[in-house]
Amino acid sequence: MKIVKYKIGKVNIKIFKKKINLNYFLKKSLKKYKISSVWTKEIIDSVNLIKYKKYKLNKNFRKDLRNIPFITIDEEDSYDFDDAIYCYRAKCNGNWKLLVAISDVSFYIKKNSILDKEAFNRGNSIYFPLKVIPMFPEELSKKIFSLLPYQDRLCIICEMTLSNVGNLINYKHYNAIIKSHARLTYSNVIQMWNKDINICKKFNNIKQCVKNFYFLNNILIKNKELKKVIFFNSHEPHFLFNSLYQIKSITIKKRNAAHNLIEFCMILANKSSALFIQNNKYFSLFRNHLYPTNDKIKYFRNFLKKFNLRLLGGKNPIIRDYFNLCNKLISHPSKEIIELELLKSTKKAFYSEKNLGHFGLAEKFYTHFTSPIRRYSDLIIHRIIKFILYKKFKNSDIKKNNKKKYLYNLKDIKKISKQCTFTEKKSDKAYKFVVYSLKFQFLKKKIGLECKGVISNIKEFGFFVKIDNFFLNGLVHVSMLKDDYYFYNKKKNILKGKRLKKIFSIGDVVKVKIVSVKIKNKIIHLSLI
């Protein structure tokens, strides 16, 4: 709390001013969306039990893969490490072996335990700028569960066989103990692929492994199945803060080929896990993404006409038609605006006990398997997979003593899927509240600034402009258009001048000036230059 002193006559008046910064918006967000950032004594006691307990491992049921050079690839500021990867090419047939190792959180977190119930309530970790509200306490999420370099860690392996063109031939799951041989960032991987001498020397022990991933990545990016996946390389903002945790500048988080490699590996592991459970006829938690409705497709096609673009495929366009459209957008000046409209034409992905398919990934069966440290849904999938594996294991005590056919029944899965979808939406709102508040606070200091932008939406009261470099929409109200009287054409979605016939439409590049910023109402008023 900042104290500002004002002198009126002979009296000093102290006025307390709130420090408007990241911490201020974080507290507001957590309170607004009822998100807990503290742990009860019972939770801490449970963590200590895990921390100091000596576990006996069933060596017959868990493979020792500590000699295999698994590596983790993440962002520089990553909080936890769920996954490690390794690959090699078989000399006999040219097929590839891809091993995705995921932290075995389910080994420690037992069903209906205190920590399990807490994770169910939280649903997922929330990654705010410079701050994480984890699903599990830091002692677990950052240490015991994370696949830290040179540390023995328990994992579930999804081992996949890929053809020499990257098609998934078969897969298998099993329990293992691994040791990550290096913690790499996405930049490190690109530097090694570009044969940077210093980086290659630093990670000499896993140089061959990274080289293998270079060749595998070149195959995966050309694969017909994976090419159908719609990737939106949206410009995610990255905030730089000053010592008072106020935004100093906003930059773009850049993606590279290593990001795509990891996404491809995780998609393949998630797909394999969904197929494994489905083929064994167990209830599962599906990750669904619904197909756009006819009305949405019709609206989106009308929108594309403005840019002389077409979505092929007739009345029922398939994922390939959308992918072909996205290819045309790579160097299009209005790429972001068009991709945003495409996203609006589809509903948000969700969890369900029913399998409805995943439109955006062009998959008939899909689930989440790769992030059990930060998503409760993945922890459930791990338990189901392990239950199936135990059932198949001849000497397992579970097979002898447990007559239970399913670990979770349909009612359980329905309840879990509803909770995971709810907490995901809540977390997304909480994150956006903080990010937008930070941006608005930053722009409040930029009043009078002239900048370029693209018209992203049009209403009868004016049009919204996506401001370059700030990743926010501002409003140019019709009252600010002094040169003419403008009326709204709903059918064409344009504003047209009555006298001069000047037209404003979505995708137009305009120059604007920031007039005012209303943080409470989340509105930026702009004037047209």
Side-chain angles (χ1 to χ4, degrees):
M1 194 81 75
K2 188 177 179 183
I3 302 173
V4 182
K5 291 183 180 179
Y6 291 91
K7 195 170 184 179
I8 301 177
K10 294 180 179 180
V11 183
N12 285 325
I13 298 175
K14 293 181 181 180
I15 297 177
F16 292 85
K17 284 184 120 184
K18 289 180 181 177
K19 193 185 285 182
I20 309 295
N21 61 6
L22 172 61
N23 293 329
Y24 172 76
F25 292 125
L26 276 170
K27 286 176 184 176
K28 281 195 76 173
S29 179
L30 297 181
K31 187 178 178 181
K32 181 181 173 76
Y33 295 102
K34 297 177 183 177
I35 295 167
S36 176
S37 60
V38 296
W39 306 103
T40 63
K41 184 182 181 299
E42 290 78 12
I43 295 290
I44 294 166
D45 289 342
S46 297
V47 171
N48 288 330
L49 280 175
I50 291 173
K51 188 178 176 182
Y52 297 112
K53 186 178 177 180
K54 291 184 178 180
Y55 292 94
K56 289 181 180 179
L57 302 179
N58 187 341
K59 292 180 181 178
N60 295 322
F61 194 66
R62 196 175 288 274
K63 291 186 180 182
D64 190 343
L65 303 182
R66 283 175 287 187
N67 290 329
I68 291 180
F70 280 96
I71 58 172
T72 62
I73 304 173
D74 296 274
E75 298 286 1
E76 290 179 16
D77 57 352
S78 287
Y79 175 87
D80 45 46
F81 307 96
D82 297 89
D83 55 271
I85 55 175
Y86 171 73
C87 77
Y88 66 93
R89 192 169 194 175
K91 292 180 181 178
C92 54
N93 53 20
N95 289 338
W96 284 87
K97 286 285 186 184
L98 171 62
L99 278 70
V100 176
I102 307 298
S103 175
D104 189 1
V105 176
S106 63
F107 178 85
Y108 302 97
I109 307 298
K110 303 305 178 186
K111 184 183 174 186
N112 294 328
S113 65
I114 292 172
L115 283 165
D116 182 48
K117 289 174 182 176
E118 182 69 17
F120 171 81
N121 290 331
R122 291 180 180 237
N124 50 263
S125 300
I126 313 173
Y127 297 84
F128 294 108
L130 301 184
K131 175 74 175 176
V132 177
I133 307 297
M135 189 171 74
F136 294 110
E138 287 191 358
E139 195 67 36
L140 300 178
S141 56
K142 287 184 78 174
K143 296 177 183 178
I144 295 171
F145 295 166
S146 274
L147 307 184
L148 302 172
Y150 315 116
Q151 300 289 323
D152 291 352
R153 288 292 183 263
L154 304 182
C155 289
I156 299 178
I157 306 291
C158 178
E159 182 180 314
M160 294 160 280
T161 304
L162 308 175
S163 70
N164 56 11
V165 291
N167 292 328
L168 181 64
I169 298 172
N170 56 50
Y171 53 84
K172 60 180 178 180
H173 295 74
Y174 51 88
N175 291 273
I177 181 168
I178 75 156
K179 184 186 287 185
S180 169
H181 283 52
R183 181 267 200 264
L184 298 175
T185 65
Y186 294 109
S187 300
N188 291 154
V189 174
I190 299 301
Q191 287 169 322
M192 291 184 78
W193 285 354
N194 292 333
K195 298 179 181 178
D196 183 291
I197 296 170
N198 293 327
I199 294 296
C200 287
K201 190 176 178 181
K202 181 181 177 181
F203 296 108
N204 187 58
N205 62 320
I206 46 92
K207 194 164 65 173
Q208 185 57 49
C209 178
V210 176
K211 190 177 181 181
N212 287 344
F213 274 113
Y214 172 78
F215 294 119
L216 179 61
N217 186 58
N218 288 340
I219 291 167
L220 294 177
I221 57 176
K222 295 173 186 174
N223 181 266
K224 289 181 181 179
E225 290 298 311
L226 289 171
K227 273 179 81 172
K228 290 190 296 186
V229 175
I230 299 178
F231 276 134
F232 294 114
N233 296 330
S234 57
H235 296 309
E236 190 181 345
H238 175 67
F239 302 112
L240 292 173
F241 294 90
N242 60 23
S243 58
L244 298 174
Y245 294 102
Q246 295 168 330
I247 296 182
K248 191 164 63 174
S249 64
I250 304 175
T251 57
I252 297 169
K253 266 190 183 178
K254 292 183 179 178
R255 287 173 58 93
N256 58 39
H259 285 84
N260 288 341
L261 166 70
I262 294 300
E263 283 196 69
F264 285 140
C265 290
M266 298 307 124
I267 286 170
L268 287 166
N270 286 333
K271 175 184 177 179
S272 299
S273 301
L275 289 170
F276 176 75
I277 298 171
Q278 185 69 20
N279 291 339
N280 281 281
K281 298 179 180 176
Y282 276 73
F283 296 123
S284 184
L285 193 69
F286 292 100
R287 181 68 171 176
N288 295 321
H289 185 218
L290 296 181
Y291 193 89
T293 61
N294 290 334
D295 289 343
K296 293 282 187 181
I297 293 169
K298 188 178 178 182
Y299 176 84
F300 183 58
R301 279 184 164 144
N302 287 332
F303 172 81
L304 289 174
K305 287 178 184 177
K306 148 75 184 170
F307 305 94
N308 296 318
L309 291 168
R310 290 179 65 204
L311 173 64
L312 302 175
K315 289 184 178 179
N316 298 303
I318 59 176
I319 196 70
R320 185 179 64 240
D321 300 312
Y322 283 90
F323 179 77
N324 290 336
L325 171 65
C326 288
N327 270 346
K328 294 176 184 177
L329 299 179
I330 291 170
S331 57
H332 199 284
S334 300
K335 178 177 180 286
E336 281 186 64
I337 302 298
I338 298 167
E339 283 183 347
L340 186 64
E341 283 300 319
L342 174 52
L343 277 174
K344 284 180 184 176
S345 73
T346 65
K347 288 187 177 180
K348 191 171 172 62
F350 61 97
Y351 296 101
S352 177
E353 75 285 0
K354 297 175 184 176
N355 177 47
L356 303 172
H358 200 295
F359 164 72
L361 297 176
E363 294 295 349
K364 190 176 179 182
F365 300 102
Y366 198 71
T367 192
H368 275 164
F369 162 77
T370 55
S371 299
I373 297 176
R374 63 185 179 91
R375 286 192 303 235
Y376 190 73
S377 58
D378 302 49
L379 176 59
I380 298 302
I381 293 300
H382 275 226
R383 285 180 181 155
I384 295 169
I385 288 172
K386 286 177 74 173
F387 186 78
I388 296 168
L389 293 175
Y390 272 120
K391 280 279 188 180
K392 290 183 174 184
F393 190 53
K394 290 181 182 178
N395 299 319
S396 168
D397 290 334
I398 287 186
K399 178 142 187 178
K400 287 179 183 177
N401 303 325
N402 197 335
K403 295 178 181 178
K404 202 172 182 181
K405 189 178 179 182
Y406 301 111
L407 184 64
Y408 293 99
N409 60 35
L410 196 59
K411 189 179 178 181
D412 294 331
I413 296 293
K414 191 174 182 179
K415 181 183 176 182
I416 293 164
S417 61
K418 188 177 179 181
Q419 174 69 2
C420 289
T421 300
F422 168 74
T423 54
E424 183 184 43
K425 286 180 180 177
K426 184 172 75 167
S427 301
D428 190 47
K429 287 177 183 177
Y431 170 79
K432 284 179 178 176
F433 176 88
V434 172
V435 168
Y436 285 144
S437 298
L438 284 168
K439 288 178 185 176
F440 276 88
Q441 184 63 29
F442 180 66
L443 278 184
K444 205 169 183 183
K445 299 173 184 177
K446 303 288 181 181
I447 290 172
L449 181 71
E450 296 180 2
C451 43
K452 282 187 178 180
V454 179
I455 296 177
S456 58
N457 201 1
I458 294 181
K459 299 288 181 183
E460 61 273 11
F461 53 82
F463 55 82
F464 290 92
V465 177
K466 190 175 177 68
I467 309 167
D468 289 358
N469 303 321
F470 296 122
F471 315 99
L472 277 173
N473 284 304
L475 172 66
V476 176
H477 196 270
V478 285
S479 61
M480 302 298 284
L481 304 173
K482 307 289 186 184
D483 61 331
D484 205 344
Y485 176 79
Y486 287 85
F487 63 91
Y488 178 60
N489 186 320
K490 189 176 181 180
K491 191 176 179 181
K492 293 182 179 179
N493 198 23
I494 59 170
L495 279 176
K496 188 175 181 180
K498 187 177 182 179
R499 182 171 53 86
L500 300 174
K501 309 299 181 187
K502 188 177 179 180
I503 293 172
F504 292 105
S505 58
I506 293 173
D508 289 348
V509 177
V510 291
K511 195 172 181 182
V512 293
K513 183 165 80 171
I514 299 171
V515 176
S516 68
V517 177
K518 308 292 183 185
I519 297 177
K520 191 175 181 180
N521 300 322
K522 297 287 188 291
I523 294 176
I524 301 166
H525 288 288
L526 307 171
S527 63
L528 193 70
I529 298 174

